[in-house]
Amino acid sequence: MQSRWNPFEMSNGAVALGPLVMREFDQFFRERPSGAREFAPAADIYETAEGITLHVDLPGHDAKSIEVKVENDTLTLKSERKRPESLKDEGTRRLERNFGVFTRSFVLPRTVDASRVEARYENGVLTLALPRREETKPRVIEVKVNG
């Protein structure tokens, strides 16, 4: 089995730097030169009798840069949050907010009517309404009484 060389590991297996510092050190050198990183924002999914609602956190994104695409049975979201120009020249010490491009895909169930998907972006949250196909909505059947 091949092991990965760690220059901060001592001969007894201990690491000279703490795990948090090491993780930050690794992250610093894995970032692209522009500081942009790919990330997947958090999403909440709710299902009702009317359909599925999807809320995706996209704070700081320009609504015009958000792309929502439905192809076959897949919903794909793509956007980019750019690092403000004013921050690029200053001596950044730490970046906890994610900047860069993200793409996230969801496989749609057959119950969704892809031709009626609606998207709304408000207060940094993208909300997608994925209505059910009429034939898949629950329906009440009237019971007839004879006599």
Side-chain angles (χ1 to χ4, degrees):
M1 181 173 144
Q2 190 176 19
S3 64
R4 211 171 143 189
W5 177 69
N6 182 345
F8 298 100
E9 188 173 301
M10 297 177 180
S11 59
N12 65 358
V15 176
L17 299 174
L20 178 62
V21 173
M22 192 65 196
R23 185 171 40 244
E24 288 181 17
F25 183 82
D26 282 348
Q27 181 179 353
F28 177 77
F29 285 102
R30 285 189 188 131
E31 289 182 8
R32 295 183 212 139
S34 67
R37 295 175 291 184
E38 193 167 311
F39 66 98
D44 295 333
I45 301 171
Y46 302 93
E47 186 170 9
T48 66
E50 296 302 312
I52 296 172
T53 302
L54 184 66
H55 298 284
V56 182
D57 284 345
L58 297 175
H61 288 250
D62 180 6
K64 294 175 185 169
S65 76
I66 300 171
E67 180 182 306
V68 178
K69 182 170 66 172
V70 177
E71 189 171 16
N72 299 323
D73 62 346
T74 304
L75 171 74
T76 302
L77 309 175
K78 183 177 181 179
S79 186
E80 179 178 10
R81 181 164 77 178
K82 296 181 180 178
R83 188 172 170 188
E85 291 294 325
S86 62
L87 295 180
K88 291 184 180 180
D89 295 332
E90 294 182 20
T92 303
R93 296 291 190 139
R94 180 183 188 98
L95 289 176
E96 290 189 356
R97 298 182 305 144
N98 289 313
F99 296 96
V101 176
F102 89 89
T103 302
R104 188 152 184 199
S105 296
F106 301 89
V107 176
L108 298 175
R110 293 182 184 198
T111 57
V112 170
D113 184 351
S115 67
R116 297 190 308 140
V117 172
E118 293 180 9
R120 184 178 74 250
Y121 182 67
E122 186 175 3
N123 296 326
V125 178
L126 176 66
T127 300
L128 296 156
L130 310 165
R132 283 186 183 269
R133 295 179 190 274
E134 287 300 320
E135 64 271 15
T136 65
K137 286 184 181 178
R139 59 189 180 102
V140 176
I141 300 169
E142 181 184 340
V143 177
K144 296 179 183 174
V145 180
N146 293 331

